[in-house]
């Protein structure tokens, strides 16, 4: 935009020089542009003094601190932005980037780097970091003796491969010759205080090396594409909106094995906005009956006063509103076992394999109820971790619903130990929050799951509640009058019980908004049929769409479905595209890098 305006303004450059400059800049990434900017400024300041110019440009090149974030739910991004702000306050030149948009060819030129990385599933990098991770562990990864770095990992200790992505990045950078400037931190879900402390310590290590940036003419903040989402709101994870539940409708049949709810929440007068592909963070209250049972099992009075986050609360209020009672995690068993001096639990906590098998069958509350013991209210609170909001893919477009946000919530419900268990947030939304009551929410923007231009065809694969963002996609394209074709693959157990949004989808199909709809109802015939089977059956046409520039999206279960779908896509590329195994993998890696292959999996 700036260079384009040069031709319309008075300029000391000739028309050809402007053209040449535009051609050069179009080939540079933001870090290179900043370096050139610093070079030219230094050259102007020290015209005729060659040695001084060289020294200044060396300072400009070396003074940039690059911060990359690999985020699955937005936490790593938020931490990276805090580090960026702290670095700015010290006068550093900062380049902030979503790792998905970072040009890997620039890594060999970096001198100072901080990576904030989350981990997905069983030790896998988040979707945004898959390409970078593959590059770093591939044959093209360069030696990095010039690089000094620090890594901050965010994870969940309830998973076996805790913070594995951060560990991977840290060890691989060191293997490639880079120097670890500050120790790697691996932080659990309640990470805020530790992340702040790590940030302060890490920047203290970088500061002497970046000190020259305070006076260098190139000192500035640089943002790579995708580094900021451009969304500004009064409300966020730390300051959620108190919104009203306006609708809770069960959309699975009476005899379905699943309980799926269509949830509508009012955003009236809040100014809160979102885009198709974003998620909604939901804070919830725990079941009061569960809280009462825990207090009874431990002999703790409900009005006992405790300290938490620097303030005094009653233990009942904390257990209801702020502490995790459903999702299980190893550290609670360890702390609770020590506080109650329970030998059986202590023995279990010492065997990591046995402990994880135990936790797979138990919610946090189950541990207390099955192993009741005497401890103080403060000991109980100190053993529990802070409740984390649950993220749900948004199932609506504001072009269609205005000041509302819709969700498709699968209620977690199972029987174990003679009792019915509910998920924390899903149980709250489905069973305990009445229409007209309020819930704390915020929007988590996801710039790695976005619709393309209106004329581009899209293939959407969303079995079960994975259909949520594709309902938003269809609403958005319908209201925009988009000309691009839309093909949806949807699956669930039974046609009569589990065809989510059936009437809406059939209407889209009738009106031509939905070009093709392929459904897989796995239990309606003797042989189970899934969405990946439907993909393979339509393999020639799927390949034709991809070759014509279609974007492909997957949403839903990441532990199995997304992997099975990916294997089906690889098989389609081999069968109908004539590609080898390696070439097929490279093909979809290229689609991923060009944002034509996107996943929102959980």
């Amino acid at each position: 935009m700036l260079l384009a305006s040069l031709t319309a303004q008075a300029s000391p450059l000739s028309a050809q020089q402007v053209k040449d400059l535009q051609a050069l800049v179009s080939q540079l990434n933001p870090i290179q542009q900043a370096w050139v900017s610093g070079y030219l400024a230094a050259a102007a300041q020290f015209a005729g003094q060659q040695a001084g110019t060289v020294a200044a440009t060396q300072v400009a090149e070396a003074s940039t601190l690059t911060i990359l974030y690999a985020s699955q739910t937005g936490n790593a991004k938020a931490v990276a932005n805090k580090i960026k702000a702290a670095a700015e306050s010290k006068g550093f030149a900062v380049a902030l980037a979503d790792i998905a948009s970072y040009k890997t060819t620039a890594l060999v030129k970096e001198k100072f780097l901080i990576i904030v990385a989350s981990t997905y599933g069983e030790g896998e990098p988040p979707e945004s970091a898959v390409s970078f991770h593959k590059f770093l562990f591939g044959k093209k990864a360069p030696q990095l003796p010039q690089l000094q770095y620090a890594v901050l990992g965010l994870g969940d200790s309830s998973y076996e491969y805790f913070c594995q992505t951060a560990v991977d990045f840290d060890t691989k950078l060191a293997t490639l010759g880079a120097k670890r400037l500050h120790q790697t931190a691996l932080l659990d879900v309640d990470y805020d205080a530790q992340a702040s402390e790590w940030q302060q310590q890490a920047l203290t290590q970088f500061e002497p090396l970046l000190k020259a940036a305070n006076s260098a003419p190139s000192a500035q903040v640089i943002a790579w594409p995708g580094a900021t989402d451009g969304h500004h709101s009064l409300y966020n994870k730390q300051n959620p909106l108190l919104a009203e539940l306006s609708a809770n409708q069960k959309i699975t049949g009476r005899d379905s094995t699943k309980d799926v709810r269509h949830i509508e929440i009012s955003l009236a007068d809040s100014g809160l906005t979102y885009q198709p592909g974003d998620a909604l963070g939901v804070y919830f209250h725990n079941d009061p009956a569960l809280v009462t049972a825990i207090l009874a099992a431990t002999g703790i009075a409900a009005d006992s006063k405790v300290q938490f986050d620097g303030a005094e609360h009653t233990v009942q209020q904390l257990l209801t509103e702020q502490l995790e009672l459903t999702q299980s995690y190893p550290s609670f068993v360890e702390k609770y076992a020590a506080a109650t001096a329970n030998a059986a639990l202590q023995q279990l906590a010492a065997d990591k394999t046995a402990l994880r098998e135990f936790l797979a069958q138990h919610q946090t509350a189950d541990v207390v109820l099955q192993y009741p013991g005497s401890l103080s209210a403060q000991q109980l609170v100190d053993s529990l971790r802070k409740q984390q909001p649950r993220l749900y893919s948004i199932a609506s477009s504001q072009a269609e619903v205005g000041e509302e946000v819709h969700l498709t919530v699968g209620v977690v419900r199972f029987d174990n130990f003679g009792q019915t268990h509910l998920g924390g947030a899903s149980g709250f939304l489905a069973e305990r929050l009445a229409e007209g009551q309020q819930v704390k929410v915020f929007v988590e923007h996801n710039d790695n799951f976005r619709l393309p231009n209106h004329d581009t065809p899209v293939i959407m694969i969303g079995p079960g509640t994975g259909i949520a963002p594709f309902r938003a996609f269809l609403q958005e394209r319908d209201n925009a009058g988009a000309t691009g074709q839309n093909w949806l693959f949807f699956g669930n157990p039974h046609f009569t019980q589990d065809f989510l949004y059936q009437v809406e989808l059939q209407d889209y199909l009738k009106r031509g908004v939905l070009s093709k709809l392929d459904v897989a109802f796995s239990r309606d015939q003797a042989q189970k049929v899934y969405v990946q089977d439907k993909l393979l059956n339509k393999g020639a046409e799927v390949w034709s769409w991809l070759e014509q520039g279609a974007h492909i999206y997957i949403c839903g279960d990441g532990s199995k479905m997304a992997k099975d779908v990916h294997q089906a896509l690889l098989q389609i590329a081999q069968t109908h595209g004539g590609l080898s195994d390696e070439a097929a993998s490279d093909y979809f890696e290229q689609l991923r890098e060009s944002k034509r292959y996107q996943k929102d999996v959980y």
Side-chain angles (χ1 to χ4, degrees):
M1 185 71 72
L2 179 61
L3 284 176
S5 67
L6 286 175
T7 56
Q9 301 176 3
S11 170
L13 303 180
S14 68
Q16 184 59 46
Q17 287 174 320
V18 170
K19 184 176 180 180
D20 291 343
L21 182 58
Q22 290 173 328
L24 172 62
V25 172
S26 68
Q27 301 174 40
L28 302 178
N29 65 43
I31 299 293
Q32 292 168 326
Q33 291 177 19
W35 186 90
V36 170
S37 174
Y39 175 88
L40 294 175
Q45 183 176 351
F46 300 102
Q49 299 178 22
Q50 185 176 9
T53 301
V54 170
T57 57
Q58 286 175 340
V59 166
E61 181 181 21
S63 64
T64 299
L65 172 64
T66 297
I67 303 173
L68 303 179
Y69 59 85
S71 197
Q72 183 74 19
T73 62
N75 291 336
K77 178 180 179 180
V79 170
N81 273 289
K82 289 181 179 179
I83 297 174
K84 164 184 170 284
E88 287 176 24
S89 70
K90 292 178 175 290
F92 298 170
V94 181
L96 176 68
D98 182 341
I99 206 164
S101 63
Y102 181 75
K103 294 184 183 297
T104 52
T105 52
L107 187 60
V108 72
K109 299 178 182 178
E110 300 285 6
K111 286 186 169 57
F112 304 106
L113 174 68
I114 290 177
I115 297 180
V116 184
S118 62
T119 296
Y120 160 75
E122 298 303 317
E124 299 165 11
E127 185 63 25
S128 63
V130 170
S131 294
F132 184 87
H133 189 277
K134 186 174 181 179
F135 166 78
L136 207 60
F137 283 82
K139 297 177 181 178
K140 296 183 180 179
Q143 290 298 304
L144 301 169
Q146 83 295 340
L147 180 66
Q148 300 187 77
Y149 73 93
V151 176
L152 173 64
L154 301 180
D156 184 337
S157 62
S158 62
Y159 289 90
E160 182 175 0
Y161 300 100
F162 176 55
C163 287
Q164 186 62 47
T165 302
V167 172
D168 287 350
F169 286 155
D170 173 44
T171 54
K172 190 60 178 177
L173 288 173
T175 300
L176 294 172
K179 178 184 178 183
R180 185 185 300 107
L181 200 58
H182 185 59
Q183 64 184 19
T184 299
L186 307 179
L187 306 184
D188 211 338
V189 292
D190 193 8
Y191 57 82
D192 289 336
Q194 291 172 294
S196 179
E197 181 180 358
W198 183 92
Q199 164 193 297
Q200 182 179 359
Q201 293 172 350
L203 292 180
T204 298
Q205 296 296 318
F206 280 99
E207 188 166 14
L209 303 168
L210 289 162
K211 192 173 181 181
N214 290 321
S215 58
S218 61
Q220 57 188 289
V221 177
I222 310 157
W224 284 72
T228 58
D229 54 28
H231 304 285
H232 301 283
S233 172
L234 175 64
Y235 305 104
N236 52 39
K237 183 179 179 181
Q238 288 70 39
N239 182 41
L241 168 70
L242 195 59
E244 182 179 297
L245 177 72
S246 50
N248 170 6
Q249 177 186 0
K250 187 178 181 184
I251 55 175
T252 43
R254 179 179 301 174
D255 297 324
S256 175
T257 56
K258 299 185 175 186
D259 181 355
V260 178
R261 305 297 178 100
H262 173 74
I263 300 291
E264 297 182 4
I265 295 172
S266 172
L267 304 177
D269 302 321
S270 69
L272 194 60
T273 61
Y274 58 87
Q275 296 183 57
D278 288 341
L280 190 76
V282 176
Y283 285 96
F284 57 93
H285 288 181
N286 290 309
D287 186 346
L290 197 60
V291 172
T292 298
I294 289 173
L295 292 174
T298 55
I300 296 172
D303 59 357
S304 299
K305 296 292 195 296
V306 290
Q307 292 293 319
F308 182 76
D309 269 359
E312 188 177 74
H313 307 264
T314 68
V315 68
Q316 183 180 45
Q317 183 245 331
L318 280 181
L319 291 175
T320 302
E321 299 178 11
Q322 296 196 53
L323 296 173
E324 183 62 68
L325 300 184
T326 49
Q327 283 187 347
S328 55
Y329 48 97
S331 63
F332 172 72
V333 177
E334 296 164 1
K335 293 177 181 178
Y336 179 77
T340 57
N342 188 297
L345 278 182
Q346 289 174 336
Q347 183 177 359
L348 178 65
D351 185 337
K352 293 188 180 299
T353 300
L355 178 58
R356 293 195 181 280
E357 291 175 355
F358 173 84
L359 293 177
Q361 303 297 323
H362 292 74
Q363 291 186 330
T364 295
D366 290 328
V367 180
V368 179
L369 300 182
Q370 291 184 18
Y371 297 87
S374 177
L375 74 170
S376 70
Q378 190 66 55
Q379 284 178 310
L380 177 62
V381 167
D382 290 344
S383 298
L384 292 162
R385 71 183 185 189
K386 195 171 185 178
Q387 180 194 102
Q388 296 299 303
R390 308 300 197 253
L391 293 179
Y392 293 97
S393 299
I394 291 175
S396 56
S397 162
Q398 287 195 293
E400 173 91 7
V401 304
E403 291 186 311
E404 294 179 1
V405 60
H406 297 179
L407 306 177
T408 308
V409 177
V411 182
V412 176
R413 179 184 281 108
F414 60 95
D415 292 325
N416 222 347
F417 319 120
Q419 292 184 325
T420 297
H421 293 62
L422 286 172
S426 64
F428 175 68
L429 290 171
E431 303 288 349
R432 300 193 298 277
L433 187 68
E435 293 181 1
Q437 291 185 322
Q438 293 182 314
V439 55
K440 293 179 179 180
V441 300
F442 62 96
V443 171
E444 188 62 60
H445 299 289
N446 183 3
D447 292 326
N448 295 309
F449 202 77
R450 291 283 186 249
L451 277 167
N453 295 331
H454 291 327
D455 59 351
T456 302
V458 299
I459 300 172
M460 301 166 284
I461 305 163
T465 56
I467 195 174
F470 303 135
R471 181 177 185 262
F473 279 17
L474 290 169
Q475 288 184 355
E476 181 80 3
R477 289 199 135 192
D478 184 26
N479 280 272
T483 57
Q485 290 186 299
N486 304 300
W487 188 353
L488 174 66
F489 288 84
F490 171 74
N492 240 349
H494 298 286
F495 171 81
T496 57
Q497 302 294 322
D498 307 307
F499 196 165
L500 308 183
Y501 302 114
Q502 178 183 358
V503 174
E504 291 182 20
L505 294 178
Q506 289 176 332
D507 177 63
Y508 282 137
L509 197 60
K510 181 179 178 180
R511 294 194 289 111
V513 176
L514 192 54
S515 312
K516 294 176 69 64
L517 173 62
D518 279 270
V519 293
F521 294 104
S522 58
R523 306 306 197 273
D524 279 350
Q525 59 285 309
Q527 184 176 357
K528 295 175 183 177
V529 177
Y530 299 104
V531 287
Q532 58 267 28
D533 301 313
K534 291 290 184 176
L535 275 168
L536 290 170
N537 289 341
K538 297 294 180 71
E541 195 170 359
V542 169
W543 181 252
S544 176
W545 276 52
L546 290 174
E547 288 295 272
Q548 293 172 35
H551 287 222
I552 190 164
Y553 300 85
I554 302 173
C555 182
D557 167 55
S559 62
K560 182 165 174 50
M561 181 276 297
K563 294 176 181 177
D564 290 342
V565 166
H566 182 71
Q567 289 303 313
L569 292 172
L570 291 174
Q571 188 174 333
I572 287 170
Q574 294 168 42
T575 302
H576 301 283
L579 302 183
S580 66
D581 290 357
E582 185 177 358
S585 294
D586 289 343
Y587 177 84
F588 284 103
E589 186 62 30
Q590 290 169 13
L591 290 190
R592 189 203 307 274
E593 290 177 357
S594 61
K595 298 298 182 85
R596 284 183 55 200
Y597 182 24
Q598 299 181 34
K599 299 178 187 177
D600 178 12
V601 294
Y602 37 84

